[in-house]
Amino acid sequence: LLLSLANAAYALPDCPSNTSLTWNNCFGTLTFASGDKYVGEFKDDKYHGQGTYTYPNGDKYFGEYKEGIRTGQGTSTFNSGDKYVGEWKDGEYHGQGRYTFKNGDEYYGEYKNGIRNGFGTYTYADGFIERGYYLNGEYLPDICEDMGFRKGTSEFGQCILKLIDKI
């Protein structure tokens, strides 16, 4: 009983049924002609706070919005079977996150502007693990090998260090 009273005290009021009025500090539902649907909090006519956005193809985002943009903690599930759980900034994966692929592969680590960037661990479904730094979505050792450097050489090590400086 006490818990339900606490939730009621902090719940936002429903948004006006008239969508031409400003939706501010309220909770509402918008359904678009495309079939997209948003259910959540509004501030100054923008998604702001917690919300769920569902697409007709079954993709779904649940998490935080700031001024109409996915920013903060959130989870995206895709009809493909993939899933991302982590931090968002300006509508992109940004910060720490975990991306799980339908095939069983998984990446856990840093993202920048929607791309693996920084330290992370990529675990393949077969158990093989790549742990290290990523730059613009690519694993640094792969970049250096593609440039012709052999693992175990000082040139390879220098290549890795120079790329880390760019992260």
Side-chain angles (χ1 to χ4, degrees):
L1 178 64
L2 186 57
L3 205 71
S4 64
L5 288 175
N7 283 341
Y10 293 107
L12 291 175
D14 289 342
C15 293
S17 58
N18 183 348
T19 56
S20 66
L21 298 174
T22 299
W23 287 20
N24 190 38
N25 295 326
C26 61
F27 187 91
T29 300
L30 286 179
T31 304
F32 302 93
S34 63
D36 292 5
K37 183 177 181 179
Y38 173 79
V39 178
E41 299 174 329
F42 287 84
K43 181 178 177 185
D44 297 326
D45 272 340
K46 295 180 183 170
Y47 314 148
H48 194 90
Q50 290 292 321
T52 301
Y53 199 102
T54 307
Y55 298 87
N57 70 356
D59 291 353
K60 183 182 281 192
Y61 169 81
F62 170 77
E64 296 176 83
Y65 286 87
K66 184 176 181 184
E67 296 180 4
I69 300 170
R70 296 173 187 182
T71 299
Q73 294 293 320
T75 299
S76 272
T77 55
F78 303 96
N79 70 357
S80 66
D82 293 358
K83 181 178 183 177
Y84 173 80
V85 178
E87 296 176 280
W88 295 74
K89 181 180 176 188
D90 298 328
E92 303 275 359
Y93 311 149
H94 195 93
Q96 288 293 318
R98 180 179 310 272
Y99 196 104
T100 306
F101 297 86
K102 178 183 179 178
N103 70 359
D105 289 0
E106 181 178 81
Y107 172 78
Y108 176 73
E110 297 176 70
Y111 284 87
K112 183 177 180 183
N113 300 323
I115 300 170
R116 293 188 296 264
N117 209 79
F119 189 79
T121 302
Y122 194 106
T123 305
Y124 291 86
D126 66 7
F128 181 76
I129 296 174
E130 290 178 339
R131 184 174 292 116
Y133 289 91
Y134 290 78
L135 177 64
N136 298 324
E138 291 189 63
Y139 187 52
L140 291 191
D142 292 345
I143 295 171
C144 292
E145 282 181 342
D146 289 347
M147 293 171 68
F149 298 111
R150 275 184 317 131
K151 285 184 180 177
T153 65
S154 63
E155 292 85 6
F156 182 85
Q158 290 300 314
C159 176
I160 296 289
L161 292 174
K162 286 182 181 181
L163 290 174
I164 289 173
D165 285 343
K166 292 183 179 190
I167 296 176

